[in-house]
Amino acid sequence: MDTDRIVADLHAHTTVSDGTMTADELVDVARDAGLDWVAITDHDRVHPALDAPVVERDGVRVVRGIELRVDAGFEPLDLLGYGVEHTDALDAEIERLQTDRQRRGAAILDRVEDRLGVELGVEPRPGLGRPHIARAIAESSAPYDYAGAFDELIGNDGPCYVAREVTALERGVELLRDSCALVGLAHPFRYEAVDDALDVARTLDAIERFYPYGRAVDDARVERVAAESDLLLTGGTDAHERTLAEAGLTAEAFAPVRERLPEPASSDAKAR
């Protein structure tokens, strides 16, 4: 038995937010990567084609999740909720956020097209994010690649940036606690105020330990916080493209997380 094999990738995005895979494609990629479990954690959305907190699709167990951005006061943080059950309060907040995303996307598109004199051919819609716009800029006649679009146009300090609505931290935690099997902090070393972010994690159920930062980080620091605050360790690729299992959990690491997740509902229905 390969004890180092990643069996669960608990952080992935689909076309419902800013990923490039449909849910069906994500399942295919997960199976090809040798995964037993994968979580769909779209930004501020619950994938509409997943009809239970955990479903089994073609031999892969798919966790219905969400990545919810919250305003922690010192900076925005991303919370990961796993095994989502729909509640009226969460659904209402998602609808509010998606309406704002559509408004914000239209405003960014207007600014970019006016500045560059191009038509990007992107329609404002729920789930629209800056990565969609950056891809469209890179594919247009404008002299920017994907990274350049962020760096020079639509990044937080860019001339075409437009702010969006973000859920308050306490409200976000409350919504996810009421609807999810467990709630954790995503990618702690991506924040500027790491100490403050770790303090928030101490109040949750879990923290993302396994993550492809592309640079050296102090994983032992996360493990100490988890041990001190009795947190579960999660992990995943944060997939937006067609790659999974760059990071995730081995069978041994996944076991305590698995205990908190509901049993999968059998489903032969195809996602989108």
Side-chain angles (χ1 to χ4, degrees), residues 2 23 33 90 97 108 142 156 178 180 191 195 227 254 267:
D2 183 2
L90 179 62
L97 294 172
I108 293 176
N156 290 1
D178 288 346
C180 299
Y191 308 116
D195 288 340
F254 182 55
S267 176

Side-chain angles (χ1 to χ4, degrees), residues 109-127:
L109 286 166
D110 285 345
R111 290 189 181 188
V112 170
E113 291 179 342
D114 287 348
R115 186 178 184 88
L116 302 182
V118 299
E119 292 286 337
L120 294 179
V122 176
E123 289 296 322
R125 59 173 176 77

